[in-house]
Amino acid sequence: MTRRRRTLRSAATNRAVAVFTTVALAVSGLGLPTAGAQSARGVDTSTALGFTTTPRPTAPPPADTSRPQILRVQPVEGRKVLADVWSPSMNKAVPTFLLLPPNPGPAPLLVLLNGVGGGEDHVGWAYHTDYEQFFADKQVLVASPEGGRFSLYTDWQHPDPVLGVNRWHTFLDDELPAALAGGYDLNGTRGVIGVSMSGGPALTLAATSRHHYAAAASLSGFPEVSTPFGRAAMAAMVARGGGNVFNAWGPPGDPAWVHNDPSHNVERLRGTALYLASAPGNPGPNDQPEIGSATYSIGAGTELASDLGTRHMADALRAGGIPFTYDRYDNGAHTFALFNRELRDSWRVVGPALGA
């Protein structure tokens, strides 16, 4: 057998293993990190393992449900607050953690998305990282919605019997910025960072939006969507929550799959500062201090799948001549310790693009 054939067979085998592992992890519900409780004032920031937490209570619907608006703001700690943001398209309030900028005056908006549980499982940036300290000296308004579990952060074609109405692209692109602009001094510049499930959607948001995103980043994300590998990964993540991915983008072959695949929309990303990060899945120093946790022991397959999809995205950007930055680490097993490093490393690309 020639070296080329052995290489192709090895790559195909690795991809098949990654698909199987991703499906197994997603459907089984494994791979969720645990975290200790954090002190806070004003709202509950307790943590839990799994997706059994009760949805966070929100303010009552407004008198005028046709326009996006902030219904209520509760203090958490320091410059961190929790805002209930009304979504007309989903007819509900979306709790959204905000990190307010340190100085008065206009600031850019950075949407920082959570992973497969949407933060509703109390797994995310607000619970497992020190992102407040990281952004403490950065003149930016950081918004992290607590919602969108298993939604792929997209506009679904049909309501789902289990996951309900999902119009997350509309919320993130139009409703959230409009509501925040009504209460905070924004300068019109925006960026988006996604992690794990939301990594691909962060790039898609920048590629397919009506608005310009100065920066977009995928941290250990899944930006390969419309290939057999990508469809398996998307279906597995949605199925983990009991949903049907066909309600999102239709059956295979529906144009919505390609529309939501950033690797097929690279030209529309030209002019956006792009950052990608992934690791090959082998646990190591980048996972400190999570050595010994459930995530550390079983996150390898998930990160391997992310790595394969991210490399595919990088190849598509290179082929299209689109500038981007890609940090592919030597080790990492889809832990928040890895994500925390990726967030910091992304800032050398995202921060200057936002002017923050």
Side-chain angles (χ1 to χ4, degrees):
M1 182 183 298
T2 66
R3 177 176 296 179
R4 175 174 174 79
R5 287 182 179 176
R6 285 196 301 269
T7 300
L8 291 174
R9 178 171 293 182
S10 175
T13 300
N14 287 342
R15 180 157 293 210
V17 170
V19 170
F20 174 80
T21 306
T22 301
V23 172
L25 288 173
V27 174
S28 68
L30 297 175
L32 295 172
T34 58
Q38 298 179 4
S39 62
R41 296 182 299 275
V43 299
D44 168 34
T45 56
S46 61
T47 61
L49 180 65
F51 300 102
T52 59
T53 54
T54 303
R56 189 185 295 278
T58 58
D64 179 5
T65 60
S66 66
R67 65 179 181 88
Q69 56 196 286
I70 297 175
L71 304 180
R72 177 178 65 179
V73 177
Q74 302 175 81
V76 180
E77 53 189 350
R79 295 196 309 276
K80 182 179 180 181
V81 301
L82 181 68
D84 292 342
V85 180
W86 181 254
S87 168
S89 65
M90 293 188 286
N91 195 40
K92 68 178 182 180
V94 178
T96 302
F97 281 110
L98 302 178
L99 296 182
L100 304 181
N103 304 309
L109 171 63
L110 175 65
V111 178
L112 184 63
L113 298 173
N114 289 302
V116 71
E120 295 180 64
D121 51 353
H122 292 187
V123 174
W125 298 108
Y127 304 101
H128 295 83
T129 73
D130 61 350
Y131 84 131
E132 297 148 83
Q133 286 72 31
F134 177 69
F135 285 108
D137 61 346
K138 296 170 178 58
Q139 184 65 9
V140 61
L141 176 62
V142 182
S144 293
E146 191 170 277
R149 61 193 182 105
F150 316 110
S151 70
L152 309 177
Y153 284 111
T154 188
D155 282 358
W156 288 41
Q157 295 178 354
H158 309 288
D160 187 84
V162 175
L163 299 180
V165 175
N166 287 288
R167 304 290 296 175
W168 287 97
H169 183 107
T170 296
F171 176 75
L172 298 172
D173 197 38
D174 294 318
E175 296 171 348
L176 177 63
L180 294 178
Y184 299 97
D185 192 1
L186 299 177
N187 66 11
T189 301
R190 63 173 73 180
V192 58
I193 297 176
V195 65
S196 192
M197 180 196 76
S198 64
L203 301 178
T204 298
L205 191 66
T208 62
S209 169
R210 296 187 301 109
H211 309 279
H212 174 67
Y213 284 74
S218 171
L219 313 181
S220 292
F222 296 85
E224 183 176 355
V225 170
S226 60
T227 64
F229 167 74
R231 289 197 301 270
M234 300 303 107
M237 284 187 278
V238 173
R240 179 171 168 179
N244 184 343
V245 75
F246 291 175
N247 287 324
W249 297 330
D254 191 299
W257 284 90
V258 171
H259 177 77
N260 285 281
D261 188 333
S263 69
H264 282 271
N265 292 280
V266 295
E267 184 58 39
R268 298 188 65 178
L269 289 168
R270 191 180 298 277
T272 295
L274 301 173
Y275 177 85
L276 309 175
S278 66
N282 53 312
N286 280 319
D287 300 302
Q288 294 280 6
E290 297 189 42
I291 292 178
S293 71
T295 304
Y296 179 85
S297 62
I298 63 180
T302 306
E303 188 64 36
L304 171 60
S306 166
D307 186 54
L308 291 170
T310 302
R311 287 159 61 191
H312 175 87
M313 181 68 197
D315 289 341
L317 290 168
R318 289 190 193 98
I322 310 299
F324 69 102
T325 299
Y326 181 18
D327 284 334
R328 186 172 186 262
Y329 303 101
D330 292 336
N331 58 82
H334 217 68
T335 60
F336 266 95
L338 173 64
F339 304 156
N340 219 14
R341 177 180 177 181
E342 292 173 333
L343 176 64
R344 281 157 171 73
D345 288 346
S346 75
W347 197 248
R348 72 181 190 276
V349 175
V350 175
L354 296 181

